[in-house]
Amino acid sequence: MATVEAPVRPRTALHQGPFVNEPFFDFRKEENARKMRAALTKVRSQLGREYDLIIGGKRVKTTDKIKSLNPARPSEIVGLHQKANKEHVKPAMQAALAAFASWSRTSVEERASLLFRAGDLLRQRKMEYMAWLVFEVSKNWAEADADISETIDFCEFYAREALRFAKVETPVQMPGERDSLMYIPLGVGAVIPPWNFPCAIMAGMTLASIVSGNTVILKPSSDSPTIAAKFIELLEEVGLPEGVVNFCPGAGASFGDAVVAHPKTRYIAFTGSREVGLHINQVAATQAPGQLWIKRTILEMGGKDAMIVDADGDIDAAVEGTAQAAFGFQGQKCSACSRVIVDERVYDKFLEQLKARVEQITVGDPAENSNMGAVINEGSMKTILAYIEQGKKDGRLITGGERATEAGEGYFIKPTVIADIPPKSKLEQEEIFGPVLAVIKARGFDHALEIANDTEFGLTGAVYTKSHDKIERAIREFHVGNLYINRKCTGAMVGAHPFGGFNMSGTDSKSGGPDYLYLFTQAKAVGEKIS
Ligand code: NAD
């Protein structure tokens, strides 16, 4: 890890001009497919390696370990990790506090330059990083591409944003004064990501933290520590100073909880389930002895996202959008469509087409680029299968409904569609986080909107309709942080669709948007008399 200050490199043409999202690969081109297969072969040869905690730049081993397994082949160890426990909180905090003293005073240009370089290096190694996601969380090639592309976007976008923030001016200058507004860092942040966008979300919350001048204790999910370790390696390679990010895989309930509760933790950037988010909110709200501030919490949580198909909507497009949004990455996206609410006039036609489309979805090893890989772990598989059994009782199974054992030893579940699910039932209300879609019949558009808004979540939603009036109504009344019209409810792009939800979906922090870095800073106003 670099001990000297990171050099500021001049911004290349790539980092100037308008921000452009990282393009996705077209795997129909044989050359791209060949390169991806080569990346998979290279990464496969590195599976099973051991990774250390990194605290203040020092490698630390622990007795307890975390085994990160390949969900498609659970006998295969992707990475062996140390397991931080409560006793590691103190050294991690000391290292982060020590680094904060210098890192918070580095120039914004220097910090942004680190992110630009990280993005450049990730572009060069994109397929290799994608391959890690294929093995560690069972993403297929396109899903892995979306995750790493978003990570590159975060490097580029937050670097530019930090530079923009540094130039903000107060709207008024008092006569005889120089009035300025500056966004200064907060302190040490706990960054606690989930496993489902294990690179993009983990990196996004970390990058937003450090480009704003904070230092971090990063606790990745125990299901995806390897990709986080690889990302930290990359940051080190581009000059991350010691202690700025302290890499500490560990259990949420012990290490994670203790970091959240620590009096010197200034803020918590969390993405994960509603239950854990609310718990963190509660712990963070309690003033610990010696704690000088109100801890800031940035909490992005679950969803029960709905797509509405109106009677005059484009059914073909709605079927395609639903299949992709419900079953992309096995339905394990906070933005996934888990409810499709269909007008009774087109209900049967929609269902018939949807069944045919979903039955084309292939389930198998994502290294071979099947449409769907395995769900994340055994516990999750069991929970999802229990929801499916409940759904068979509450509704009518259209397709799927069981494990896909023919796909292999992994945690494979068939894409499952259950129709006639009643509003307010378990499958209509609770986040399942797996390849299970509830289809709900609506009497008309009013009824559809009422059902769509009837859960405690409010993350994403979509409406398929040709009616201008209904579009206007959806914009006014469909209460979600990310609404899409005549397109699917997944696939938010950095810059275009700042992401975050309402109600129990979180604090609506809008990652990838122009307000995001405010959450990682505090504004200081200075009025200086000049004559
Ligand atoms: P999770 O809540 O189980 O875990 C998230 C993180 O919290 C993990 O790193 C975990 O170790 C840690 N954790 C657990 N208990 C903790 C505690 N007591 N104190 C501190 N940290 C603790 O979620 P998950 O299964 O990793 O991810 C899936 C969930 O994330 C879903 O609910 C999904 O909707 C949500 N999610 C939301 C968004 C969003 O932007 N709103 C994005 C992705 C995922």
Side-chain angles (χ1 to χ4, degrees):
M1 190 179 273
T3 46
V4 290
E5 291 200 341
V8 182
R9 264 197 342 207
R11 294 167 81 188
T12 64
L14 187 65
H15 307 307
Q16 288 165 349
F19 168 82
V20 180
N21 296 108
E22 177 67 16
F24 300 136
F25 290 110
D26 179 355
F27 286 113
R28 288 168 305 185
K29 290 191 179 146
E30 182 43 35
E31 199 200 338
N32 286 339
R34 189 181 48 73
K35 285 186 186 155
M36 186 62 197
R37 282 192 290 270
L40 286 160
T41 304
K42 180 176 176 193
V43 169
R44 189 176 269 125
S45 71
Q46 299 172 18
L47 297 183
R49 286 190 183 167
E50 187 167 345
Y51 300 84
D52 295 340
L53 308 184
I54 307 173
I55 297 178
K58 311 267 176 317
R59 263 60 186 170
V60 177
K61 292 232 189 294
T62 61
T63 329
D64 286 351
K65 309 282 177 198
I66 297 171
K67 276 185 198 159
S68 174
L69 306 177
N70 178 351
R73 297 170 187 269
S75 52
E76 189 167 71
I77 297 176
V78 175
L80 183 67
H81 294 262
Q82 316 308 313
K83 188 173 185 180
N85 219 312
K86 283 184 184 165
E87 74 258 24
H88 297 103
V89 175
K90 194 173 169 194
M93 181 56 76
Q94 278 171 346
L97 284 168
F100 183 74
S102 53
W103 183 246
S104 60
R105 290 176 185 202
T106 54
S107 69
V108 66
E109 287 78 15
E110 184 176 326
R111 289 184 246 131
S113 172
L114 183 95
L115 269 67
F116 285 131
R117 292 197 305 273
D120 289 346
L121 197 55
L122 201 49
R123 278 187 195 94
Q124 288 168 27
R125 302 198 186 144
K126 197 172 167 190
M127 283 198 184
E128 196 180 317
Y129 274 72
M130 286 162 56
W132 282 105
L133 296 180
V134 171
F135 292 116
E136 189 159 51
V137 296
S138 218
K139 290 204 173 196
N140 71 12
W141 301 2
E143 295 292 346
D145 189 359
D147 198 323
I148 302 301
S149 294
E150 190 175 15
T151 310
I152 294 168
D153 284 354
F154 283 146
C155 293
E156 186 71 32
F157 189 79
Y158 293 146
R160 288 160 176 255
E161 281 294 291
L163 294 169
R164 181 175 72 82
F165 269 51
K167 292 202 191 101
V168 167
E169 288 178 5
T170 51
V172 173
Q173 290 289 321
M174 294 302 287
E177 282 188 12
R178 188 179 309 124
D179 296 312
S180 57
L181 184 64
M182 54 200 81
Y183 290 93
I184 66 169
L186 288 167
V188 176
V191 172
I192 307 180
W195 51 264
N196 74 325
F197 278 84
C199 197
I201 295 180
M202 175 276 308
M205 295 192 295
T206 304
L207 294 168
S209 294
I210 65 175
V211 82
S212 305
N214 306 294
T215 56
V216 162
I217 298 174
L218 167 65
K219 193 214 77 64
S221 165
S222 300
D223 284 307
S224 57
T226 315
I227 185 68
K230 299 304 294 183
F231 187 71
I232 299 303
E233 278 176 14
L234 184 133
L235 288 182
E236 288 181 349
E237 213 174 313
V238 295
L240 181 77
E242 290 175 353
V244 172
V245 180
N246 298 282
F247 176 66
C248 299
S254 54
F255 180 79
D257 217 44
V259 176
V260 171
H262 195 284
K264 296 286 182 207
T265 296
R266 178 64 183 82
Y267 69 96
I268 300 105
F270 164 84
T271 307
S273 63
R274 170 191 169 284
E275 290 68 26
V276 174
L278 289 180
H279 172 75
I280 288 176
N281 200 36
Q282 199 168 31
V283 174
T286 307
Q287 187 183 7
Q291 181 183 323
L292 294 179
W293 40 67
I294 300 171
K295 288 178 189 171
R296 189 173 295 176
T297 53
I298 303 156
L299 307 170
E300 292 312 309
M301 300 159 20
K304 188 67 191 175
D305 311 307
M307 312 222 313
I308 293 177
V309 183
D310 185 35
D312 76 358
D314 178 337
I315 301 290
D316 293 347
V319 165
E320 186 55 34
T322 305
Q324 288 183 18
F327 301 113
F329 187 39
Q330 298 80 266
Q332 301 170 117
K333 298 182 188 178
C334 53
S335 57
C337 171
S338 65
R339 300 179 294 155
V340 61
I341 305 165
V342 187
D343 189 294
E344 59 188 6
R345 285 165 286 180
V346 292
Y347 189 79
D348 292 339
K349 181 172 188 269
F350 175 86
L351 258 186
E352 190 187 329
Q353 279 186 231
L354 183 70
K355 177 178 186 329
R357 173 65 181 84
V358 172
E359 287 176 352
Q360 287 169 11
I361 293 173
T362 57
V363 183
D365 191 343
E368 281 147 37
N369 206 16
S370 51
N371 298 140
M372 270 176 46
V375 300
I376 190 69
N377 57 36
E378 192 177 5
S380 182
M381 179 178 71
K382 286 184 177 156
T383 308
I384 296 165
L385 291 172
Y387 272 111
I388 290 176
E389 290 314 309
Q390 181 67 43
K392 287 178 187 168
K393 289 186 199 134
D394 295 347
R396 174 166 51 109
L397 181 69
I398 301 296
T399 187
E402 57 189 359
R403 277 186 83 167
T405 41
E406 66 284 359
E409 54 156 329
Y411 309 123
F412 297 102
I413 297 180
K414 289 183 182 168
T416 297
V417 178
I418 305 177
D420 308 344
I421 288 291
K424 294 288 177 203
S425 63
K426 201 172 162 72
L427 254 73
E428 201 266 330
Q429 292 285 312
E430 294 178 17
E431 182 177 49
I432 301 172
F433 224 58
V436 184
L437 174 69
V439 190
I440 303 146
K441 193 185 279 187
R443 294 188 297 275
F445 195 69
D446 286 359
H447 189 213
L449 269 180
E450 186 189 311
I451 299 166
N453 282 332
D454 79 352
T455 76
E456 59 181 7
F457 297 106
L459 189 46
T460 74
V463 175
Y464 282 84
T465 181
K466 294 198 184 80
S467 154
H468 182 71
D469 288 350
K470 287 174 183 162
I471 292 173
E472 290 294 313
R473 277 199 58 201
I475 292 171
R476 271 198 317 273
E477 295 174 31
F478 198 162
H479 196 59
V480 290
N482 287 73
L483 178 66
Y484 301 95
I485 310 292
N486 291 319
R487 54 151 286 183
K488 66 186 166 92
C489 63
T490 53
M493 297 296 290
V494 169
H497 314 120
F499 193 79
F502 298 160
N503 296 349
M504 284 296 164
S505 289
T507 49
D508 192 37
S509 67
K510 291 291 181 254
S511 59
D515 306 322
Y516 195 59
L517 292 194
Y518 289 115
L519 300 167
F520 295 83
T521 57
Q522 50 199 341
K524 184 167 188 174
V526 179
E528 181 187 354
K529 193 122 179 102
I530 50 176
S531 62

